[in-house]
Amino acid sequence: MFSVFVLSETSLKKAVVEDLTALPENAVWIDLVNPSAAEDKAVERLAGIAIPTREDMQEIEISSRLYMENGARYMTATLMCHSDTDMPRTTAVTFILGDHRLVTVRYDLPKPFALVEAKLARSCTPSITGEMVLMELLDAVIDRCADILERCGAEIDQVSHEIFEPESERHGHAKRYSQILISIGRKGDLTSKVRESLVSIGRVVTFLSAVVEGVKWSKDMREQLKTMQRDVASLTDHASYLSSKITFVLDAMLGVVNLEQNNIIKLFSVMAVVLMPPTLIASIYGMNFKVMPELEWVHGYPMALVMMLIAAIVPYWIFKWKKWL
């Protein structure tokens, strides 16, 4: 299916097109979502451009993602989808800019598209063009990436607090190490996807900045492109910082798990050492030799119990004195 946006007075109206042969000539933005072959051909006839296939959009070569053909500029970027769920993913979106008309091709529902549609439906300038719609979309994508990184950073701080919380708060409470590790893994996956999207958007903005030199774009739009470049660069650096922080938190989490395991092993070792001397005494007097004078002694049994008790207390006291416990 696809949506056609045409300028009407001071707002951009979404038009429902039933007859593919009657696409409006004054369409400013044509948004193709999971387009069929017939819809591709209809838009190609109207805009005089070739619509790339889904396989073409998934190419990773820069020359296949950013190029010019028949006067139209083709830009394919990787955008975030479903970032608010436990299964975020990325999707390829192609922006085709030609003859002051924008055509977008996508096979998913990135949130910035809905936000821009709502914004332009409320109000827009009467002289809006496809270039201006494209700038709005790119700006919304960058803002969306910034929001995701902010949320991800706050959640990483919360995970870090759970790992490094004071011992008094952890006492008596079982640590949910598996849940923490899963949370760290999800944050790392989300951050890497956002960084991938930012790198892709950065290439699109750089490509636009290069091609506008020979195009009569307004000074405000040129300044907006420079601002986008700075924003993308700073957000990419922030995403790299978050990736490093996630790696540190993961290493710290594994270190805490190792410490907990070492404490358990140390406890068993101390118990074995404490019980070893009493076991030795009990083993000696458990032997079945005929000549053992203590066997006939009236106070032999109480004395053996006292010796075993002392043999257990002395090692424990030594460990406490050495601060090994």
Side-chain angles (χ1 to χ4, degrees), residues 268-287 292 303-313 315:
F268 280 108
S269 301
V270 170
M271 294 300 297
V273 173
V274 168
L275 294 177
M276 191 178 299
T279 302
L280 177 62
I281 296 173
S283 300
I284 292 174
Y285 289 107
M287 294 185 294
M292 293 185 70
M303 180 58 67
L305 293 178
V306 172
M307 290 174 61
M308 287 189 286
L309 184 61
I310 293 174
I313 293 175

Side-chain angles (χ1 to χ4, degrees), residues 182-221:
I182 291 173
S183 178
I184 293 174
R186 286 175 177 171
K187 300 300 174 292
D189 178 62
L190 180 61
T191 303
S192 65
K193 285 183 169 60
V194 174
R195 191 176 187 280
E196 178 187 1
S197 179
L198 285 170
V199 170
S200 179
I201 290 297
R203 290 169 179 168
V204 170
V205 175
T206 302
F207 177 77
L208 275 177
S209 300
V211 299
V212 296
E213 297 300 328
V215 182
K216 295 182 179 180
W217 280 30
S218 65
K219 182 179 179 181
D220 292 339
M221 294 179 68

Side-chain angles (χ1 to χ4, degrees), residues 149 191 194-195 198-199 229-245:
L149 288 178
T191 303
V194 174
R195 191 176 187 280
L198 285 170
V199 170
Q229 285 182 303
R230 291 193 296 268
D231 291 342
V232 169
S234 62
L235 288 176
T236 303
D237 292 340
H238 188 65
S240 300
Y241 159 74
L242 287 180
S243 297
S244 300
K245 187 174 182 179

